[in-house]
Amino acid sequence: MATAPLLDDLRAALGSDAVLTDPDLLRGYERDEADLCASATPLVVTRPRSTEEVVAVVRAAGRHGAPVVPQGARTGLAGAANAVDGAVVISTTAMDAILEIDPVSRIAVVQPGVVNAALTAAVGEHGLWYPPDPGSWESSTIGGNVATNAGGMCCVKYGVTTEYVLGLEVVLASGEVLRTGRRTAKGVAGYDLTRLFVGSEGTLGVITEVTVALRPAPAESLTLVAVFGSTTAAGEAVARIAAQGLSPSLLELLDRTHLVAIEAYRPMGLRTDAEALLLAAADTGPRAAADLAELAAVCEAAGAEEVYAASDAVEAAALLQARRLAHSAMEKYAADAYPGGNGGLIIDDLAVPRGALAALLDGVTRIAAECQVPVGVVGHAGDGNMHPNIVVDRADPVSLERGRRAFDEIMRLGLDLGGTCTGEHGVGLLKREWLAREIGPVGVRVHQAIKAALDPTGLLNPGKVL
């Protein structure tokens, strides 16, 4: 591929300021936050500001045979945004306009580069709320959230990103612009193409506009912490909460490894002697206190050693912040365990039926011991979506082999328990093999047929998902 004509075409369409070729800058666009996933330095990074400019980039790349890798804020944890050799990266972060907020229809229309927290703040001024809240919500973009079908802590009650995406504008591999979905509260016309693109990780098209559904802002939530002597008991509490029909707005689990890591990263008085901690919340307004008391009673019946309710919103926010610090704290934990920049994390993301959560947690403990590798578990216990964090020494082949074996054994356990290989992070590079095992050969062929129909030359995000 001759690079000069491609670069000339890109600069003519976008202007030189939106076409990056400096090697130092390009290195910053090589990968997302997934550790130990293959990546490469892209040929060029483009920063389009409109759908028309995305069309121009895709068509130029197609003419010159260059692969296209869409990127948001690169906060993903599965390698879905990792660049490949010779890639034209389309960074959508400059497309950051909130185009419309309609309080009557309870929708917002945004460009893909809008940061999740910025949308939440903007719609909050109208008494509305956008529920999906991934751990990276202060930096991740709506486009990236849609591309990976991101989840978050509120999903136990309010659902994942796909529940809130009403319509999309997508640039296809051909350069054509497709509009899917609707603005109405109801609508069943044709195939649900919107959901096809949600979670497709940039392999079927480049998202350039998103219409999202909003909800009335919930009442201020009340929060409690339940401390357990084992992760099994915490898992049993989650199953009992579900069985009794309770609907917490948040139900998170932190194991001892994470409690120790968070307390070392930012001391806040967490019980580092506890084997597991459940963080629960209720946002049901006048009923919140009663609902929280029911959650506390279930935790106590399941064997909680201590149940503590936050005294006010400030304390509740501090507890929530502890959960949000989990990823950063574990990165430091790994760095401290293996100095010299060698500490790494293989982050799993699987979901099992709520009734199987205790078995999953027991199994992770067993696998960690068998593989002789540290594993900390954190996650959205209320919907069975857990994130085992496997700590490895990047410089030690034995440690890496043990970590990868632990990852595979945990994935195998999750599928054996009736679960799925990813609850919210997506497939990316990390889980292609496990996706194939989960959906089977017919499922793989259907995926391949859809990809071939929409992207026959394999232009978009090659090597991801399948």
Side-chain angles (χ1 to χ4, degrees), residues 315-352:
E315 190 173 13
L319 291 171
L320 186 61
Q321 181 64 13
R323 168 61 183 89
R324 292 196 184 279
L325 288 173
H327 179 59
S328 297
M330 282 301 294
E331 287 183 320
K332 183 177 185 300
Y333 182 94
D336 291 344
Y338 300 108
N342 294 323
L345 294 174
I346 304 175
I347 300 178
D348 218 329
D349 161 50
L350 69 164
V352 297

Side-chain angles (χ1 to χ4, degrees), residues 47 56 58 67 98 157 179 181 205 233 300 311 324 342 382 388 440 454:
R47 290 175 49 82
V58 170
I98 298 175
K157 182 174 181 178
R179 296 197 69 94
E300 289 169 348
S311 58
R324 292 196 184 279
N342 294 323
L454 292 174

